[in-house]
Amino acid sequence: MKIEGKRVVVCGAGGFIGGHLVKSLQARGVDTIRAVDVKPVEEWYQKADGVENLSLDLRDKHSCYLATEGIDAVFQLAADMGGMGFIENNRALCMLSVLTNTHMLMAARDQGVERFFYSSSACVYNGDKQKSPDVVALKEEDAYPALPEDGYGWEKLFSERMCRHFEEDFGLQCRVARFHNVYGPYGTWNGGREKAPAAICRKVIEAKHSGNHQIEIWGDGNQTRSFMYIDDCIKGIGALFQGEIHEPLNLGSSELVTINQLVDVVEECADIRLRRSYMVSAPKGVNGRNSDNTKIKEYLGWEPAIRLKDGIAKTYEWIERQMLVAAAK
């Protein structure tokens, strides 16, 4: 299915990935875009001109029908989520996103939507396979038998199954991507919902400009992750949406690093070395997680390839500008 010429709604358009996706769709020539987010429009991370921008709470069924009216394609990215500090302490809130996904699927089915993209997460994977920092990269089938991240991961896995059964029972074409730690400019970098790359950038910038050259790291720093730059994420969404892959697919970088190595990369951007202290009681998630990209390479002939040091350099520069502007007010 080609996206050009279709009438599209992006749910969660006021957020990090959604804002980038709207601008990407515009650049591809999609001229009928409805952008929806629960936040007031003036609080969106990015706002595109020439787009129908709506503030709607998609947990409400009626709002989902308004969002999908006259629409051909849905990109469902709306969710109550954040980094590990947020999802470990707000499990009920994360699970309530099931209302959004349920009502959006029902509205899409009833209003003749042709294709439905759902943004899932690597948090769906079985926790027993993520106990060691020396993790074996996670294949799509490793989501079962089910033992996902408590709260957020369970909701994501359940919503994946809903997509599957709405396709099987009602013919609604669904595409599902399991995002692995997306980062980049125009994302959350403070306030408690930020993820590790943005949080580390902020802490390093604070240390550099304050003269207090030390940093607190959650966990022991040896936990491993892969981090995908936003440009790769948007490219993958577009390719997966247009393809004929009817199963959930990993969308993540396979460049595995420890959190200590992530700090090394950010320190290099700042041209500084910091004293490190470790808060081992803080939320840190699983000990190891990486993306097995065998299937995405097989199906799409492509995988996320932007190197961490290149993506972090752009992210660091953007966050530093935001912090300096905020400090000057």
Side-chain angles (χ1 to χ4, degrees), residues 22-41:
V22 168
K23 292 194 171 181
S24 172
L25 291 170
Q26 283 188 306
R28 294 182 61 168
V30 180
D31 55 11
T32 303
I33 302 172
R34 182 175 297 150
V36 178
D37 201 278
V38 69
K39 296 183 291 293
V41 174

PDB file of all heavy atoms in Angstrom, residues 22-41:
ATOM      1  N   VAL A  22       4.831  12.991  11.352  1.00  0.00           N
ATOM      2  CA  VAL A  22       3.988  13.928  10.603  1.00  0.00           C
ATOM      3  C   VAL A  22       4.820  14.686   9.573  1.00  0.00           C
ATOM      4  O   VAL A  22       4.438  14.799   8.399  1.00  0.00           O
ATOM      5  CB  VAL A  22       3.284  14.911  11.563  1.00  0.00           C
ATOM      6  CG1 VAL A  22       2.644  16.059  10.780  1.00  0.00           C
ATOM      7  CG2 VAL A  22       2.222  14.197  12.386  1.00  0.00           C
ATOM      8  N   LYS A  23       5.971  15.190   9.977  1.00  0.00           N
ATOM      9  CA  LYS A  23       6.805  15.957   9.048  1.00  0.00           C
ATOM     10  C   LYS A  23       7.366  15.075   7.938  1.00  0.00           C
ATOM     11  O   LYS A  23       7.521  15.512   6.788  1.00  0.00           O
ATOM     12  CB  LYS A  23       7.917  16.660   9.818  1.00  0.00           C
ATOM     13  CG  LYS A  23       7.361  17.762  10.731  1.00  0.00           C
ATOM     14  CD  LYS A  23       8.422  18.699  11.248  1.00  0.00           C
ATOM     15  CE  LYS A  23       7.769  19.885  11.967  1.00  0.00           C
ATOM     16  NZ  LYS A  23       8.750  20.856  12.472  1.00  0.00           N
ATOM     17  N   SER A  24       7.644  13.818   8.259  1.00  0.00           N
ATOM     18  CA  SER A  24       8.108  12.888   7.229  1.00  0.00           C
ATOM     19  C   SER A  24       7.016  12.618   6.205  1.00  0.00           C
ATOM     20  O   SER A  24       7.278  12.567   4.998  1.00  0.00           O
ATOM     21  CB  SER A  24       8.560  11.584   7.882  1.00  0.00           C
ATOM     22  OG  SER A  24       8.838  10.593   6.924  1.00  0.00           O
ATOM     23  N   LEU A  25       5.794  12.429   6.675  1.00  0.00           N
ATOM     24  CA  LEU A  25       4.680  12.188   5.756  1.00  0.00           C
ATOM     25  C   LEU A  25       4.444  13.393   4.858  1.00  0.00           C
ATOM     26  O   LEU A  25       4.175  13.250   3.656  1.00  0.00           O
ATOM     27  CB  LEU A  25       3.422  11.863   6.552  1.00  0.00           C
ATOM     28  CG  LEU A  25       3.429  10.517   7.291  1.00  0.00           C
ATOM     29  CD1 LEU A  25       2.237  10.423   8.236  1.00  0.00           C
ATOM     30  CD2 LEU A  25       3.424   9.345   6.312  1.00  0.00           C
ATOM     31  N   GLN A  26       4.567  14.591   5.424  1.00  0.00           N
ATOM     32  CA  GLN A  26       4.449  15.793   4.601  1.00  0.00           C
ATOM     33  C   GLN A  26       5.523  15.821   3.520  1.00  0.00           C
ATOM     34  O   GLN A  26       5.237  16.133   2.356  1.00  0.00           O
ATOM     35  CB  GLN A  26       4.569  17.047   5.472  1.00  0.00           C
ATOM     36  CG  GLN A  26       3.333  17.393   6.268  1.00  0.00           C
ATOM     37  CD  GLN A  26       3.479  18.737   6.947  1.00  0.00           C
ATOM     38  OE1 GLN A  26       4.448  18.974   7.674  1.00  0.00           O
ATOM     39  NE2 GLN A  26       2.532  19.625   6.721  1.00  0.00           N
ATOM     40  N   ALA A  27       6.751  15.483   3.900  1.00  0.00           N
ATOM     41  CA  ALA A  27       7.858  15.509   2.950  1.00  0.00           C
ATOM     42  C   ALA A  27       7.659  14.497   1.831  1.00  0.00           C
ATOM     43  O   ALA A  27       8.157  14.689   0.714  1.00  0.00           O
ATOM     44  CB  ALA A  27       9.175  15.240   3.678  1.00  0.00           C
ATOM     45  N   ARG A  28       6.911  13.431   2.110  1.00  0.00           N
ATOM     46  CA  ARG A  28       6.645  12.411   1.097  1.00  0.00           C
ATOM     47  C   ARG A  28       5.467  12.763   0.209  1.00  0.00           C
ATOM     48  O   ARG A  28       5.109  12.004  -0.692  1.00  0.00           O
ATOM     49  CB  ARG A  28       6.390  11.071   1.775  1.00  0.00           C
ATOM     50  CG  ARG A  28       7.599  10.502   2.484  1.00  0.00           C
ATOM     51  CD  ARG A  28       7.328   9.162   3.097  1.00  0.00           C
ATOM     52  NE  ARG A  28       6.957   8.169   2.087  1.00  0.00           N
ATOM     53  CZ  ARG A  28       6.894   6.862   2.324  1.00  0.00           C
ATOM     54  NH1 ARG A  28       7.165   6.395   3.528  1.00  0.00           N
ATOM     55  NH2 ARG A  28       6.556   6.018   1.373  1.00  0.00           N
ATOM     56  N   GLY A  29       4.837  13.903   0.476  1.00  0.00           N
ATOM     57  CA  GLY A  29       3.750  14.341  -0.384  1.00  0.00           C
ATOM     58  C   GLY A  29       2.373  13.941   0.083  1.00  0.00           C
ATOM     59  O   GLY A  29       1.396  14.068  -0.675  1.00  0.00           O
ATOM     60  N   VAL A  30       2.257  13.447   1.321  1.00  0.00           N
ATOM     61  CA  VAL A  30       0.927  13.145   1.873  1.00  0.00           C
ATOM     62  C   VAL A  30       0.299  14.477   2.269  1.00  0.00           C
ATOM     63  O   VAL A  30       0.765  15.148   3.180  1.00  0.00           O
ATOM     64  CB  VAL A  30       1.038  12.205   3.095  1.00  0.00           C
ATOM     65  CG1 VAL A  30      -0.341  11.912   3.655  1.00  0.00           C
ATOM     66  CG2 VAL A  30       1.744  10.921   2.725  1.00  0.00           C
ATOM     67  N   ASP A  31      -0.754  14.871   1.582  1.00  0.00           N
ATOM     68  CA  ASP A  31      -1.284  16.219   1.797  1.00  0.00           C
ATOM     69  C   ASP A  31      -2.534  16.261   2.661  1.00  0.00           C
ATOM     70  O   ASP A  31      -3.047  17.342   2.960  1.00  0.00           O
ATOM     71  CB  ASP A  31      -1.547  16.921   0.459  1.00  0.00           C
ATOM     72  CG  ASP A  31      -2.452  16.127  -0.462  1.00  0.00           C
ATOM     73  OD1 ASP A  31      -3.042  15.142  -0.010  1.00  0.00           O
ATOM     74  OD2 ASP A  31      -2.551  16.504  -1.641  1.00  0.00           O
ATOM     75  N   THR A  32      -3.057  15.109   3.055  1.00  0.00           N
ATOM     76  CA  THR A  32      -4.207  15.082   3.964  1.00  0.00           C
ATOM     77  C   THR A  32      -3.795  14.339   5.227  1.00  0.00           C
ATOM     78  O   THR A  32      -3.773  13.106   5.261  1.00  0.00           O
ATOM     79  CB  THR A  32      -5.418  14.393   3.314  1.00  0.00           C
ATOM     80  OG1 THR A  32      -5.747  15.069   2.090  1.00  0.00           O
ATOM     81  CG2 THR A  32      -6.625  14.434   4.249  1.00  0.00           C
ATOM     82  N   ILE A  33      -3.392  15.116   6.240  1.00  0.00           N
ATOM     83  CA  ILE A  33      -2.901  14.547   7.495  1.00  0.00           C
ATOM     84  C   ILE A  33      -3.689  15.141   8.653  1.00  0.00           C
ATOM     85  O   ILE A  33      -3.806  16.363   8.777  1.00  0.00           O
ATOM     86  CB  ILE A  33      -1.401  14.834   7.706  1.00  0.00           C
ATOM     87  CG1 ILE A  33      -0.578  14.276   6.539  1.00  0.00           C
ATOM     88  CG2 ILE A  33      -0.921  14.255   9.035  1.00  0.00           C
ATOM     89  CD1 ILE A  33       0.891  14.684   6.585  1.00  0.00           C
ATOM     90  N   ARG A  34      -4.209  14.268   9.469  1.00  0.00           N
ATOM     91  CA  ARG A  34      -4.842  14.684  10.729  1.00  0.00           C
ATOM     92  C   ARG A  34      -3.904  14.284  11.859  1.00  0.00           C
ATOM     93  O   ARG A  34      -3.551  13.107  12.003  1.00  0.00           O
ATOM     94  CB  ARG A  34      -6.205  14.010  10.891  1.00  0.00           C
ATOM     95  CG  ARG A  34      -6.955  14.418  12.151  1.00  0.00           C
ATOM     96  CD  ARG A  34      -8.356  13.798  12.158  1.00  0.00           C
ATOM     97  NE  ARG A  34      -9.136  14.309  11.042  1.00  0.00           N
ATOM     98  CZ  ARG A  34     -10.098  13.613  10.418  1.00  0.00           C
ATOM     99  NH1 ARG A  34     -10.379  12.380  10.794  1.00  0.00           N
ATOM    100  NH2 ARG A  34     -10.752  14.154   9.409  1.00  0.00           N
ATOM    101  N   ALA A  35      -3.468  15.254  12.637  1.00  0.00           N
ATOM    102  CA  ALA A  35      -2.546  15.018  13.741  1.00  0.00           C
ATOM    103  C   ALA A  35      -3.325  15.136  15.055  1.00  0.00           C
ATOM    104  O   ALA A  35      -3.990  16.147  15.293  1.00  0.00           O
ATOM    105  CB  ALA A  35      -1.400  16.024  13.711  1.00  0.00           C
ATOM    106  N   VAL A  36      -3.232  14.110  15.886  1.00  0.00           N
ATOM    107  CA  VAL A  36      -4.047  14.045  17.110  1.00  0.00           C
ATOM    108  C   VAL A  36      -3.155  13.759  18.309  1.00  0.00           C
ATOM    109  O   VAL A  36      -2.265  12.905  18.250  1.00  0.00           O
ATOM    110  CB  VAL A  36      -5.119  12.938  16.980  1.00  0.00           C
ATOM    111  CG1 VAL A  36      -5.936  12.832  18.264  1.00  0.00           C
ATOM    112  CG2 VAL A  36      -6.031  13.210  15.788  1.00  0.00           C
ATOM    113  N   ASP A  37      -3.424  14.458  19.402  1.00  0.00           N
ATOM    114  CA  ASP A  37      -2.707  14.201  20.651  1.00  0.00           C
ATOM    115  C   ASP A  37      -3.569  14.672  21.816  1.00  0.00           C
ATOM    116  O   ASP A  37      -4.398  15.571  21.660  1.00  0.00           O
ATOM    117  CB  ASP A  37      -1.362  14.934  20.669  1.00  0.00           C
ATOM    118  CG  ASP A  37      -0.385  14.334  21.666  1.00  0.00           C
ATOM    119  OD1 ASP A  37      -0.469  14.665  22.869  1.00  0.00           O
ATOM    120  OD2 ASP A  37       0.449  13.516  21.251  1.00  0.00           O
ATOM    121  N   VAL A  38      -3.362  14.062  22.986  1.00  0.00           N
ATOM    122  CA  VAL A  38      -4.146  14.428  24.171  1.00  0.00           C
ATOM    123  C   VAL A  38      -3.726  15.791  24.711  1.00  0.00           C
ATOM    124  O   VAL A  38      -4.535  16.481  25.350  1.00  0.00           O
ATOM    125  CB  VAL A  38      -4.022  13.337  25.260  1.00  0.00           C
ATOM    126  CG1 VAL A  38      -2.610  13.293  25.849  1.00  0.00           C
ATOM    127  CG2 VAL A  38      -5.072  13.524  26.354  1.00  0.00           C
ATOM    128  N   LYS A  39      -2.481  16.193  24.457  1.00  0.00           N
ATOM    129  CA  LYS A  39      -2.000  17.471  24.964  1.00  0.00           C
ATOM    130  C   LYS A  39      -2.627  18.634  24.190  1.00  0.00           C
ATOM    131  O   LYS A  39      -2.922  18.487  23.000  1.00  0.00           O
ATOM    132  CB  LYS A  39      -0.472  17.548  24.846  1.00  0.00           C
ATOM    133  CG  LYS A  39       0.280  16.532  25.686  1.00  0.00           C
ATOM    134  CD  LYS A  39       1.793  16.710  25.588  1.00  0.00           C
ATOM    135  CE  LYS A  39       2.349  16.364  24.231  1.00  0.00           C
ATOM    136  NZ  LYS A  39       2.237  14.914  23.920  1.00  0.00           N
ATOM    137  N   PRO A  40      -2.805  19.794  24.828  1.00  0.00           N
ATOM    138  CA  PRO A  40      -3.194  20.978  24.062  1.00  0.00           C
ATOM    139  C   PRO A  40      -2.181  21.236  22.947  1.00  0.00           C
ATOM    140  O   PRO A  40      -0.970  20.998  23.137  1.00  0.00           O
ATOM    141  CB  PRO A  40      -3.149  22.095  25.114  1.00  0.00           C
ATOM    142  CG  PRO A  40      -3.324  21.406  26.427  1.00  0.00           C
ATOM    143  CD  PRO A  40      -2.650  20.066  26.267  1.00  0.00           C
ATOM    144  N   VAL A  41      -2.649  21.694  21.812  1.00  0.00           N
ATOM    145  CA  VAL A  41      -1.782  21.830  20.635  1.00  0.00           C
ATOM    146  C   VAL A  41      -0.561  22.697  20.926  1.00  0.00           C
ATOM    147  O   VAL A  41       0.549  22.411  20.448  1.00  0.00           O
ATOM    148  CB  VAL A  41      -2.584  22.392  19.441  1.00  0.00           C
ATOM    149  CG1 VAL A  41      -1.671  22.669  18.246  1.00  0.00           C
ATOM    150  CG2 VAL A  41      -3.698  21.420  19.047  1.00  0.00           C
TER     151      VAL A  41
END
